[in-house]
Amino acid sequence: MNQKIFTNVVLVSASQKEVRGILLNPQFLSKWVPEITTVTTQENQKFIINRASEAFNQHELITIVQEANSINYQSTEGKVEYQIIFTVNEENEHCTIQEDVYLSPETNVHLPLKLLAPIAKHAFNTNLNNLALLIEQTASLAQ
């Protein structure tokens, strides 16, 4: 069972369809996660990402699974295996995007989770805010 390590939430002025469209398209990843240099699409909603800067996962395989009101990113083949569940709720032309991050029990990061969690939470929150900006810019261009 994966262990939840943190949650981040952001509000965007966009529809659920617009949010899901960006989250389901791996080619947008490098636009909201700046350290990602390449995204190589595989089959069956899988893609390989590479990062330029030092990170726990310099290279990893991400699988996207679409659920009723969430989109799940499952990371494997890196030093740290994790899952991000993006829950998208729409209300009055706005969406909240909740990001829940889970760590695989097999992952051995050589750091206590107590130390790792706040650092990771901040980094993921920065990327989530980048995602919100990208979604709003893309949504305003579509209007």
Side-chain angles (χ1 to χ4, degrees), residues 125-137:
N125 193 53
T126 298
N127 291 338
L128 186 62
N129 284 305
N130 290 342
L131 172 65
L133 284 172
L134 176 65
I135 290 168
E136 289 183 346
Q137 288 169 351

Side-chain angles (χ1 to χ4, degrees), residues 48-51 56-61 76-79:
I48 297 170
I49 63 171
N50 295 297
R51 290 182 175 81
F56 278 113
N57 291 347
Q58 199 77 36
H59 314 283
E60 62 189 296
L61 177 69
T76 56
E77 298 184 15
K79 291 179 188 170

Side-chain angles (χ1 to χ4, degrees), residues 9-14 19 22-23 31-32 95 97 125-139:
V9 179
V10 71
L11 180 68
V12 294
S13 296
V19 172
I22 297 233
L23 284 172
K31 295 182 192 292
W32 56 279
C95 281
I97 306 169
N125 193 53
T126 298
N127 291 338
L128 186 62
N129 284 305
N130 290 342
L131 172 65
L133 284 172
L134 176 65
I135 290 168
E136 289 183 346
Q137 288 169 351
T138 304

Side-chain angles (χ1 to χ4, degrees), residues 6-49:
F6 60 83
T7 297
N8 289 317
V9 179
V10 71
L11 180 68
V12 294
S13 296
S15 71
Q16 188 173 32
K17 181 181 177 184
E18 291 164 326
V19 172
R20 293 174 75 82
I22 297 233
L23 284 172
L24 289 169
N25 185 341
Q27 295 307 318
F28 279 110
L29 246 178
S30 61
K31 295 182 192 292
W32 56 279
V33 183
E35 64 269 8
I36 292 177
T37 54
T38 60
V39 177
T40 308
T41 304
Q42 307 288 295
E43 54 190 41
N44 300 325
Q45 284 298 91
K46 294 182 181 193
F47 55 97
I48 297 170
I49 63 171

